[in-house]
């Protein structure tokens, strides 16, 4: 049996990446960011790589704008993780993995190790370079996909979302818009609650 996820109206908030722009000498990006709230073939290598031979810094706490995440709710956990994961700030981040590492408090130990243990071999790519030249910061919207997924169990849940990133420059100018369908596999830890075990961006 499968079930269809019903789209929810996203909860708006300012992503942490936008707040760090001021400290980096960039103006805060315009645009609201919804609160964060598939299938399982993702690996960190699927992300556009950061500049070579540079480890990312694992976050120990979530960005303050997220507030308290309800770890008893797999949807809330997944949405929060994706908001941070895709909340890229080219004023402070050297590549997409920096944003992913900020989501580590919501990730499983295995996924956290994969994010921090990835060894990029090339730069983050031409699109990132375009964003960086514009000093762009992501405003992230998370919408539930209508794709059917298996029903959750007490220990595992799959969610699929449509993730939209609007990249804004320091003056609030829209630099680029990227939309991805992203699958999320969650597992419930008895002590920590739900955590993201896999992120599967499908383009």
């Amino acid at each position: 049996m499968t079930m269809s996820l019903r789209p929810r109206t996203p909860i708006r908030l300012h992503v942490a990446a936008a707040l760090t722009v001021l400290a980096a000498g960039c103006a805060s990006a315009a645009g609201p960011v919804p609160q964060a709230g598939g299938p399982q073939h993702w690996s960190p290598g699927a992300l556009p790589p950061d500049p070579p031979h540079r480890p990312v810094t694992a976050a120990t706490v979530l960005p303050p704008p997220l507030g308290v995440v309800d770890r008893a709710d797999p949807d809330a956990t997944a949405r929060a993780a994706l908001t941070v994961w895709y909340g890229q700030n080219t004023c402070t981040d050297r590549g997409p993995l920096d944003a992913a590492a900020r989501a580590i408090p919501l990730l499983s130990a295995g996924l956290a190790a994969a994010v921090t243990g990835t060894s990029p071999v090339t730069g983050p790519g031409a699109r990132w370079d375009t964003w960086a030249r514009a000093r762009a910061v992501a405003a992230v919207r998370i919408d539930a996909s209508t794709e059917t997924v298996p029903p959750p169990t007490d220990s595992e849940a799959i969610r699929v979302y449509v993730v939209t990133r609007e990249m804004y420059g320091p003056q609030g100018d829209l630099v680029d818009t990227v939309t991805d369908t992203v699958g999320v596999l969650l597992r419930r830890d008895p002590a920590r609650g739900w955590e993201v075990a896999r992120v599967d961006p499908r383009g």
Side-chain angles (χ1 to χ4, degrees):
M1 179 182 298
T2 59
M3 67 178 181
S4 177
L5 295 176
R6 294 181 180 178
R8 298 184 180 182
T9 302
I11 301 172
R12 303 277 179 176
L13 77 160
H14 292 287
V15 73
L19 297 181
T20 57
V21 176
L22 291 176
C26 295
S28 178
V33 182
Q35 185 174 8
Q40 295 103 307
H41 303 294
W42 179 85
S43 67
L47 287 174
D50 291 344
H53 311 303
R54 182 190 60 78
V56 297
T57 302
T60 57
V61 296
L62 289 172
L66 282 178
V68 177
V69 177
D70 182 4
R71 301 294 292 273
D73 182 349
D75 187 65
T77 302
R79 287 173 175 268
L82 291 182
T83 292
V84 179
W85 185 286
Y86 285 98
Q88 296 150 354
N89 176 1
T90 66
C91 295
T92 58
D93 296 342
R94 288 172 285 184
L97 281 177
D98 283 313
R102 288 193 289 273
I104 279 177
L106 295 174
L107 308 185
S108 68
L111 182 53
V115 169
T116 58
T118 297
S119 299
V121 294
T122 64
R127 196 167 201 171
W128 180 276
D129 291 342
T130 298
W131 296 347
R133 285 193 296 271
R135 298 184 299 164
V137 175
V140 183
R141 189 175 78 243
I142 312 291
D143 297 301
S145 170
T146 57
E147 181 175 329
T148 57
V149 297
T153 67
D154 290 340
S155 60
E156 187 170 289
I158 292 174
R159 295 288 188 268
V160 182
Y161 300 96
V162 177
V163 179
T164 302
R165 280 171 291 167
E166 294 180 329
M167 304 300 297
Y168 287 94
Q171 305 305 314
D173 49 311
L174 181 62
V175 175
D176 197 4
T177 301
V178 185
T179 300
D180 296 292
T181 299
V182 181
V184 180
L185 170 66
L186 300 108
R187 293 196 174 101
R188 190 172 67 84
D189 180 271
R192 289 161 45 91
W194 289 99
E195 55 191 17
V196 173
R198 192 176 296 270
V199 175
D200 179 20
R202 305 172 186 173

